[in-house]
Amino acid sequence: MKNRIKDVLKEKGITQKELAEKIGMTEVGLSKAINGNTTNSTVSKIAKALNVSNEDLIVREKVLKAKYGSDKTPLHLGSLELPCYVLEDGTRVFSGRGVQSALGASPNSSGTWLSKFVNSKAIVMCLHPETLDKLNNPIKFERPSSSGSQSNTYGYEVTLLIDLCNAIIDADRSRELSINETYVKNANIIIRSVAKVGIVALVDEVTGYNKDKNRAKDELQQFLANFMSQEASRWVKTFDDNFFEMIYKMRGWSWTITSQRPGIVGTWINDIVYERLAPQVFTELKKKNPKNENGNRPYRYHQFLSEEIGHPRLREHISGVMAIGRISNNNWPTFMHNLDKAYPKQYQQLDFDFVPYEEITK
């Protein structure tokens, strides 16, 4: 347990050597007890010798609650994931296990791996003493929706990860001591990713754009509500056979199999049409039309577009795509090049969370 024995000794004008003699301990043993985890027995002896209560010597640890965040919504830095939380006092923290994993520790590593790593000779040499002290004293907090023995966990103030990554990179550059290549690679990924995100955040702040983010999100939700129906409408034939014939001709397929429309055409339609209609429309369509237990989507995406805005925009887009196909002389690469110029893909998610290509092709 944490203690304030040093402070009490100063208040009473007693040295550690004098206290050690009073309670029958060596000075080295007492120093370890004061600077480490003191036992209840030792605290009682010291309290009696100093004529104070045990409570006067013990620092009761307050367990903060995480108000925001979850291990299911990690921060993505390149290919790495870090569960992150904002505590009730505003402190931003990464989970200890998350930091270990992001740096490249084995999934089977114990919870003490990080402590051993930051106190290794190569890393200690590159860390400021104050940073090292904070890394050796993680913040205990309670995660949202957790209970029982798993209710409390430990985390680190988020900027400490940057300090640690810089120490890893500096240690590797010194070449005096060997650093695992995985740790160095991941440290570089984290530093570069944070730099990109950080510069965007700084620009947002100084320009005042961040103040408008909530308003922009509300407007986007209203736009999507107008663009889409809440439920699937009756299916009607929206894509004319000429549309599929155009695609088949550009891909060198026979027109006689147009009516079969193999699954790959669904991927092309997503690419050519739904990802280019408007911002976030494709993401919202996937949410409204999730895959069933068989891995299939039960409706056509266009069944969720509103009659007032969504369908007219879709028909207009298809007409434009057909025109681009004609001027591209049925050449697929030329067609896609012209399509990107006329109808560039719209951002489908905010906060750097893009739709994986693998998800689109499922």
Side-chain angles (χ1 to χ4, degrees), residues 3 85 109 119 126 192 257 271 281 312 317 336:
N3 65 78
Y85 306 85
S109 298
N119 287 285
C126 299
R192 289 171 183 171
I257 62 172
D271 186 349
V281 165
H317 183 86
M336 293 304 295

Short mmCIF file of all heavy atoms in Angstrom, two decimals, residues 3 85 109 119 126 192 257 271 281 312 317 336:
data_model
loop_
_atom_site.label_atom_id
_atom_site.label_comp_id
_atom_site.label_asym_id
_atom_site.label_seq_id
_atom_site.Cartn_x
_atom_site.Cartn_y
_atom_site.Cartn_z
N ASN A 3 2.13 4.97 1.03
CA ASN A 3 2.20 5.58 2.36
C ASN A 3 2.80 6.98 2.30
O ASN A 3 3.35 7.38 1.27
CB ASN A 3 3.03 4.70 3.29
CG ASN A 3 4.49 4.61 2.84
OD1 ASN A 3 5.28 5.52 3.06
ND2 ASN A 3 4.85 3.49 2.19
N TYR A 85 -9.67 5.13 -22.67
CA TYR A 85 -10.74 5.57 -21.79
C TYR A 85 -10.50 7.02 -21.37
O TYR A 85 -9.36 7.49 -21.33
CB TYR A 85 -10.80 4.70 -20.53
CG TYR A 85 -10.89 3.21 -20.81
CD1 TYR A 85 -9.73 2.46 -21.04
CD2 TYR A 85 -12.12 2.56 -20.83
CE1 TYR A 85 -9.80 1.10 -21.31
CE2 TYR A 85 -12.20 1.20 -21.09
CZ TYR A 85 -11.04 0.47 -21.32
OH TYR A 85 -11.11 -0.88 -21.59
N SER A 109 1.98 -12.81 -22.55
CA SER A 109 2.80 -12.11 -21.55
C SER A 109 1.96 -11.77 -20.32
O SER A 109 0.77 -11.48 -20.43
CB SER A 109 3.38 -10.83 -22.13
OG SER A 109 4.23 -11.11 -23.23
N ASN A 119 11.78 -0.87 -17.13
CA ASN A 119 12.89 -0.81 -16.17
C ASN A 119 14.13 -1.55 -16.67
O ASN A 119 15.11 -1.68 -15.92
CB ASN A 119 12.45 -1.39 -14.83
CG ASN A 119 11.52 -0.44 -14.08
OD1 ASN A 119 11.95 0.56 -13.52
ND2 ASN A 119 10.23 -0.76 -14.07
N CYS A 126 16.94 5.95 -21.47
CA CYS A 126 16.36 6.90 -22.41
C CYS A 126 15.08 7.55 -21.88
O CYS A 126 14.40 8.26 -22.63
CB CYS A 126 16.07 6.21 -23.74
SG CYS A 126 17.54 5.53 -24.54
N ARG A 192 4.29 7.92 -35.81
CA ARG A 192 3.88 8.51 -37.09
C ARG A 192 2.37 8.69 -37.15
O ARG A 192 1.88 9.71 -37.65
CB ARG A 192 4.36 7.62 -38.23
CG ARG A 192 5.87 7.66 -38.42
CD ARG A 192 6.35 6.61 -39.40
NE ARG A 192 7.80 6.61 -39.53
CZ ARG A 192 8.49 5.68 -40.18
NH1 ARG A 192 7.84 4.69 -40.76
NH2 ARG A 192 9.79 5.75 -40.25
N ILE A 257 -25.17 -14.14 -70.57
CA ILE A 257 -25.27 -14.47 -69.14
C ILE A 257 -25.60 -13.25 -68.29
O ILE A 257 -25.50 -13.27 -67.07
CB ILE A 257 -23.95 -15.10 -68.62
CG1 ILE A 257 -22.78 -14.13 -68.76
CG2 ILE A 257 -23.65 -16.40 -69.32
CD1 ILE A 257 -21.51 -14.63 -68.09
N ASP A 271 -18.97 -0.42 -55.70
CA ASP A 271 -17.88 0.48 -56.06
C ASP A 271 -18.35 1.60 -56.98
O ASP A 271 -18.08 2.79 -56.75
CB ASP A 271 -16.79 -0.35 -56.75
CG ASP A 271 -15.54 0.45 -57.05
OD1 ASP A 271 -15.57 1.69 -56.91
OD2 ASP A 271 -14.52 -0.15 -57.44
N VAL A 281 -23.38 7.31 -47.06
CA VAL A 281 -24.58 6.59 -47.48
C VAL A 281 -24.34 5.09 -47.51
O VAL A 281 -25.17 4.30 -47.04
CB VAL A 281 -25.06 7.09 -48.86
CG1 VAL A 281 -26.08 6.12 -49.47
CG2 VAL A 281 -25.69 8.46 -48.72
N PRO A 312 -34.34 9.45 -56.76
CA PRO A 312 -33.99 10.36 -57.86
C PRO A 312 -32.48 10.53 -58.01
O PRO A 312 -31.96 10.55 -59.13
CB PRO A 312 -34.65 11.68 -57.45
CG PRO A 312 -35.82 11.26 -56.61
CD PRO A 312 -35.35 10.07 -55.85
N HIS A 317 -27.51 9.21 -60.92
CA HIS A 317 -26.15 8.67 -60.87
C HIS A 317 -25.98 7.57 -61.92
O HIS A 317 -24.96 7.54 -62.63
CB HIS A 317 -25.87 8.12 -59.47
CG HIS A 317 -24.48 7.61 -59.30
ND1 HIS A 317 -23.41 8.42 -58.94
CD2 HIS A 317 -23.95 6.35 -59.45
CE1 HIS A 317 -22.31 7.69 -58.87
NE2 HIS A 317 -22.62 6.43 -59.18
N MET A 336 -13.08 3.39 -65.25
CA MET A 336 -12.86 3.62 -63.82
C MET A 336 -12.10 4.93 -63.60
O MET A 336 -12.37 5.66 -62.62
CB MET A 336 -12.09 2.46 -63.20
CG MET A 336 -12.88 1.14 -63.15
SD MET A 336 -14.47 1.29 -62.28
CE MET A 336 -13.92 1.68 -60.62
#
